[in-house]
Amino acid sequence: MLLQMEGITKRYGSLIANDRVDFSLQEGEVHALVGENGAGKSTLMRILYGEEQPSEGRIIVGGRERVFATPSDAIAAGIGMVHQHFMLFPSFTVAENIVIGREPKAGVKFDRKAAAEHVKTLSEKFGMPVDPWAKVADCPVGVQQRIEILKVLNQGAKIIILDEPTGALTPLEVEWLLKAIKRLAKQGISFILISHKLNEVLGSADRITVLRDGKVIGSVKASDTDAAALSRMMVGRELAKFERKPVVPGEAILTVDNVTVLGDRGTKPLLDRVSLTVRAGEIVGIAGVSGNGQSELLQVVSGLRRVHSGKVTLGGKDVTGLSAGEFRRAGLAHIPEDRYLWGSAKEESVADNAIMGHLASLSKGGILRKRTIREKVARWIDAFRVKTGSLETKAKHLSGGNMQKLIVAREMAHGTPFVIAAEPTRGVDIGAMETIHEALLKRRDEGGAILLVSSELSEILKLSDRILVLYEGRVAGELSAGDATEEKISFLMAGGSGNETH
């Protein structure tokens, strides 16, 4: 056995994040670690990577007991980690990022040419093509992930921890990555895969270990289980049967009319004459490869970006050029695409994060009504199953999925006629996904208008009544729910004509 983690327990005061966890890994094996948000997966891997120390238990690598006080200790033992949010220097070249800390020298100077040659050889050896001279900032997300993997391979990693590796990838990039993982495993590299995407786990892992409430519920061979069985192990219950009722949409709530947004210095438009309508009682999905105008569209319809030309109408009111606050007052709730950049204040408490945007209704004479706040926030936390130590817990101590559920609960509580749901289930487990999807459909069935932007085609297909595809800042085509398939959407995402999808 290459790796054994025995009886790992991690306590934070009265909170037990890991409770006598056993985990093992064989050479050339892909072992997936799954569980709900807050189940203890990331804590366990931080312990293995030396970012945390266990309260109890031991780690054995290659038959030798090891203590990892820092990540450097773990790296020295052949363990590397690719975090969900990449640890790269965007202004550096690909080669500079990969060899950092192990730079080849010509005398006392960094030898860039030797570094590029070394990276070229390394990428060919492991079948992960990159351009050594390219700037990381100019590389797509999928290539940046390759750079991270090559970086840890260059450090001598025999065990690679991948934390939510497909969260920001396109379908083609996901397919490429999963094949690369299998290919590297055949070369003797072992992988620990943390993921919420059960179909990807089943298609790439040899074994799967399920954590729930910090404990191991079971370890199974991927070939002996399925998504339904894993879901039951993760959440401890049967998931509700999904049902999207047919509805007849009402009046237009959001109208985007011929909107153009120019790039920096008047370069190619980021949005080029985009028009769309979202009506009461419908979910309109926006699909597209990242960087094709989705973020700019979200910023336009939330008041965060001015348009060069065109018009935006919300609830019958012309809101073109108004502030984000005025968009809010016109009837907008906003689940942002980046929960940390746009949606929360990590250093503030759970309660403070929950009442953002609700201050007017939760205060009297300029003084916050603390009892009312506690009662309301407690109800939201209960309804969305947010796991937190208390309302005073700092938001940064919530898992990403629990932070996401808190934001969704907060925004849905506004009861507005229009909701932007941008990547609403990014990085959340299957139980949280069920809760968020139910909330969005409930709002739609009550007559709410929802604009859904998601990199997950399965989510777009599952929730949307209509689907628009953006390509290079333009609407490449529109599909009804009944006519849409992954193949048709993918074709439009690649720049195909809408007329050719039928």
Side-chain angles (χ1 to χ4, degrees):
M1 195 65 69
L2 178 62
L3 166 72
Q4 291 167 281
M5 300 181 78
E6 297 179 350
I8 299 295
T9 296
K10 179 63 178 179
R11 298 186 189 91
Y12 299 97
S14 60
L15 174 69
I16 301 177
N18 291 138
D19 190 356
R20 291 166 293 177
V21 172
D22 293 334
F23 183 87
S24 63
L25 184 69
Q26 298 174 355
E27 185 177 340
E29 180 184 34
V30 181
H31 192 157
L33 190 61
V34 301
E36 289 192 281
N37 298 116
K41 308 180 299 295
S42 295
T43 302
L44 186 68
M45 290 302 102
R46 286 199 300 269
I47 288 170
L48 178 59
Y49 192 55
E51 293 177 330
E52 301 262 7
Q53 279 65 55
S55 305
E56 295 173 19
R58 61 183 192 149
I59 299 170
I60 300 165
V61 181
R64 178 184 164 197
E65 186 170 344
R66 305 295 294 259
V67 176
F68 301 141
T70 66
S72 296
D73 294 340
I75 291 166
I79 298 168
M81 185 167 183
V82 177
H83 293 80
Q84 187 175 359
H85 303 287
F86 302 148
M87 307 288 188
L88 298 172
F89 295 96
S91 60
F92 287 14
T93 66
V94 169
E96 287 167 343
N97 271 275
I98 290 172
V99 303
I100 199 159
R102 299 176 180 230
E103 299 90 341
K105 299 284 178 66
V108 294
K109 292 186 177 180
F110 174 38
D111 191 337
R112 283 181 171 77
K113 188 175 179 183
E117 285 297 320
H118 173 69
V119 167
K120 185 172 181 290
T121 302
L122 191 75
S123 69
E124 288 171 355
K125 175 184 175 182
F126 291 110
M128 304 193 81
V130 293
D131 175 3
W133 295 103
K135 282 270 179 71
V136 164
D138 298 328
C139 295
V141 174
V143 173
Q144 290 187 29
Q145 191 170 63
R146 279 181 223 174
I147 297 165
E148 284 278 25
I149 293 172
L150 285 169
K151 184 170 72 175
V152 297
L153 287 169
N154 187 56
Q155 292 168 342
K158 297 298 181 187
I159 296 169
I160 299 179
I161 304 163
L162 296 176
D163 187 4
E164 296 291 346
T166 65
L169 302 187
T170 67
L172 284 175
E173 288 171 333
V174 170
E175 184 181 349
W176 190 93
L177 175 67
L178 297 182
K179 285 179 180 176
I181 289 171
K182 286 187 171 183
R183 188 171 60 248
L184 288 167
K186 286 179 181 175
Q187 293 179 255
I189 306 298
S190 303
F191 288 89
I192 302 172
L193 180 62
I194 304 174
S195 180
H196 292 112
K197 299 178 182 179
L198 298 185
N199 288 331
E200 290 176 11
V201 164
L202 288 163
S204 58
D206 301 300
R207 274 193 299 156
I208 302 166
T209 289
V210 180
L211 289 183
R212 189 167 80 231
D213 295 329
K215 296 180 180 179
V216 173
I217 299 302
S219 291
V220 293
K221 286 184 178 179
S223 56
D224 292 341
T225 189
D226 58 26
L230 288 173
S231 298
R232 285 193 297 272
M233 291 172 73
M234 284 170 61
V235 302
R237 58 183 171 83
E238 291 283 351
L239 293 177
K241 189 174 180 181
F242 180 80
E243 185 181 358
R244 181 161 58 86
K245 302 170 189 171
V247 294
V248 178
E251 63 180 349
I253 301 298
L254 173 78
T255 303
V256 176
D257 185 16
N258 218 28
V259 161
T260 294
V261 172
L262 297 181
D264 295 336
R265 305 180 197 89
T267 54
K268 186 177 178 182
L270 302 172
L271 290 177
D272 190 1
R273 292 164 290 170
V274 168
S275 295
L276 63 91
T277 300
V278 187
R279 295 171 291 178
E282 74 169 348
I283 297 177
V284 173
I286 302 292
V289 176
S290 179
N292 277 269
Q294 300 95 309
S295 293
E296 290 75 19
L297 176 62
L298 290 170
Q299 290 163 13
V300 163
V301 299
S302 59
L304 294 169
R305 183 185 281 266
R306 298 290 179 96
V307 303
H308 175 71
S309 61
K311 182 179 178 181
V312 181
T313 306
L314 180 57
K317 178 183 179 182
D318 184 354
V319 291
T320 314
L322 298 185
S323 68
E326 288 167 312
F327 268 73
R328 284 273 190 182
R329 287 188 285 277
L332 164 72
H334 186 186
I335 302 165
E337 59 181 329
D338 187 322
R339 54 181 164 256
Y340 295 118
L341 181 62
W342 300 104
S344 62
K346 291 195 288 185
E347 292 298 327
E348 302 306 319
S349 70
V350 167
D352 286 344
N353 274 271
I355 63 173
M356 288 177 180
H358 290 272
L359 296 180
S361 65
L362 293 172
S363 61
K364 190 173 182 179
I367 299 172
L368 290 173
R369 296 182 290 164
K370 292 187 178 180
R371 183 176 173 182
T372 304
I373 288 170
R374 293 188 67 83
E375 289 173 354
K376 282 206 171 190
V377 174
R379 282 202 301 272
W380 299 343
I381 283 174
D382 183 56
F384 280 81
R385 304 186 187 103
V386 179
K387 292 181 182 176
T388 178
S390 74
L391 299 186
E392 282 69 47
T393 299
K394 283 194 175 184
K396 68 180 181 182
H397 295 309
L398 294 184
S399 69
N402 280 303
M403 188 71 246
Q404 185 72 10
K405 286 192 285 185
L406 183 67
I407 291 169
V408 174
R410 177 187 75 203
E411 295 303 314
M412 300 308 282
H414 283 294
T416 55
F418 177 56
V419 178
I420 296 172
E423 304 292 353
T425 60
R426 176 176 280 170
V428 308
D429 60 70
I430 195 162
M433 190 180 297
E434 176 193 48
T435 301
I436 292 169
H437 284 175
E438 283 176 354
L440 291 172
L441 283 172
K442 183 172 183 285
R443 176 55 53 82
R444 169 248 200 195
D445 293 346
E446 292 168 348
I450 297 172
L451 183 67
L452 169 69
V453 176
S454 177
S455 53
E456 296 294 328
L457 290 190
S458 57
E459 183 166 61
I460 291 278
L461 286 163
K462 182 178 181 180
L463 296 176
S464 303
D465 299 293
R466 288 187 293 123
I467 299 165
L468 276 67
V469 180
L470 287 183
Y471 176 72
E472 293 188 344
R474 293 184 176 182
V475 176
E478 178 178 332
L479 298 164
S480 67
D483 194 38
T485 63
E486 282 207 17
E487 291 73 23
K488 289 179 179 179
I489 296 173
S490 296
F491 180 75
L492 290 169
M493 285 168 68
S497 163
N499 296 326
E500 298 170 61
T501 62
H502 300 288

